Amino acid sequence: VPKPFCRLRSYDPVTISPLRLEDTSVILEERLHTILEASEASELSDNLAHRLFPGITTVEDLRTELAKSIESEKGKQMENYRIAATEAELMKRLEGDIPPVAYHKTQKGLFDEVCLQARCQGMELIDFLESKGLDEVGLGVMLRDHAVESVNRSLALDALASYLGFGIDDDDIQAALEHMAPGEGERVYEDYKERDLLAVVEETALRLKAQRWLLDTATEKEPLADRCV
């Protein structure tokens, strides 16, 4: 299927709504409470902390490690939110004629992946879907929505990368391979090279650069509560 030519209504940096995450101290106390409840003990002592978590010697150590873990989770959550939010704003600017076959091809690819997952688990498709709380109609709707979003996101990032005149180097290729298959970049590179599909890796590298530009230049809307009335 020939790649549709699309453009963006604007190439300016996007503006997104801020995401306010719960304070780490609040989450920490909730997790400590959950640990204590599960242990059925009356209080969280150093001995209990060590028994439940062999690498931990004191409650204070446990609090420190949990806080680090929570901060890491929040960092990933914020990064994922900003990627999704900036790309959603970019897709709103997409202009051009996108033939239905582009969506259908992507949807078929997604459907084939679901069928493969079912086969790998030794299940019939209908049983596999039932285990996920889906039926064939629900699957079709979900895959259609995912296909539309995937195609539009790719075309929007391509348009942005083209407008900004991005090129790629070996470091960009390595970053793309790591993104596609963490820890298996060399294997993936050889696989794609053998199948004459390195253009896919290069495309991914350009989209990642466009995505990074989006994240680096995005601004946040002023929270309603903080605005002057």
Side-chain angles (χ1 to χ4, degrees), residues 126-137:
I126 190 167
D127 296 325
F128 178 76
L129 293 179
E130 186 175 329
S131 72
K132 303 293 183 181
L134 290 169
D135 56 22
E136 292 188 71
V137 174

Side-chain angles (χ1 to χ4, degrees), residues 11-222:
Y11 295 89
D12 294 335
V14 300
T15 300
I16 61 175
S17 299
L19 176 65
R20 298 290 178 251
L21 298 177
E22 194 165 25
D23 190 78
T24 298
S25 62
V26 175
I27 303 174
L28 175 60
E29 293 306 321
E30 290 175 349
R31 294 196 180 176
L32 288 172
H33 180 69
T34 300
I35 291 171
L36 184 59
E37 278 194 332
S39 71
E40 298 183 347
S42 58
E43 64 176 358
L44 188 57
S45 63
D46 291 346
N47 287 336
L48 179 60
H50 180 64
R51 179 163 60 83
L52 296 176
F53 306 93
I56 298 296
T57 56
T58 67
V59 173
E60 191 57 37
D61 289 342
L62 177 59
R63 295 178 70 91
T64 299
E65 291 305 312
L66 283 176
K68 289 179 182 177
S69 175
I70 292 167
E71 284 296 319
S72 177
E73 291 171 12
K74 287 171 64 177
K76 292 175 183 176
Q77 186 179 351
M78 181 63 76
E79 179 77 358
N80 290 338
Y81 165 76
R82 296 188 76 249
I83 289 173
T86 53
E87 289 182 345
E89 289 301 317
L90 191 72
M91 284 187 279
K92 293 176 183 177
R93 302 175 177 181
L94 189 64
E95 296 181 337
D97 295 324
I98 306 173
V101 67
Y103 298 121
H104 294 160
K105 180 181 178 182
T106 299
Q107 183 173 345
K108 183 181 183 305
L110 294 172
F111 178 74
D112 290 343
E113 288 181 14
V114 173
C115 291
L116 179 60
Q117 290 175 29
R119 287 199 299 273
C120 288
Q121 295 189 26
M123 302 173 69
E124 294 293 331
L125 178 60
I126 190 167
D127 296 325
F128 178 76
L129 293 179
E130 186 175 329
S131 72
K132 303 293 183 181
L134 290 169
D135 56 22
E136 292 188 71
V137 174
L139 175 67
V141 172
M142 182 181 73
L143 295 186
R144 182 196 63 203
D145 292 344
H146 285 181
V148 170
E149 182 178 351
S150 177
V151 170
N152 289 354
R153 180 193 304 112
S154 295
L155 292 174
L157 290 172
D158 290 345
L160 180 61
S162 176
Y163 176 81
L164 294 173
F166 283 150
I168 53 174
D169 55 24
D170 290 343
D171 289 341
D172 297 321
I173 293 295
Q174 290 303 315
L177 291 169
E178 181 64 20
H179 174 80
M180 296 166 72
E184 299 186 56
E186 186 174 342
R187 180 190 63 78
V188 171
Y189 178 82
E190 293 302 327
D191 179 48
Y192 275 66
K193 182 178 180 180
E194 183 178 336
R195 292 189 288 154
D196 197 27
L197 291 174
L198 287 181
V200 174
V201 181
E202 294 171 356
E203 220 173 32
T204 300
L206 279 172
R207 288 169 184 166
L208 286 175
K209 290 191 77 167
Q211 182 189 83
R212 177 47 53 189
W213 183 89
L214 266 183
L215 293 172
D216 291 343
T217 61
T219 57
E220 290 189 352
K221 299 175 184 175
E222 185 181 356

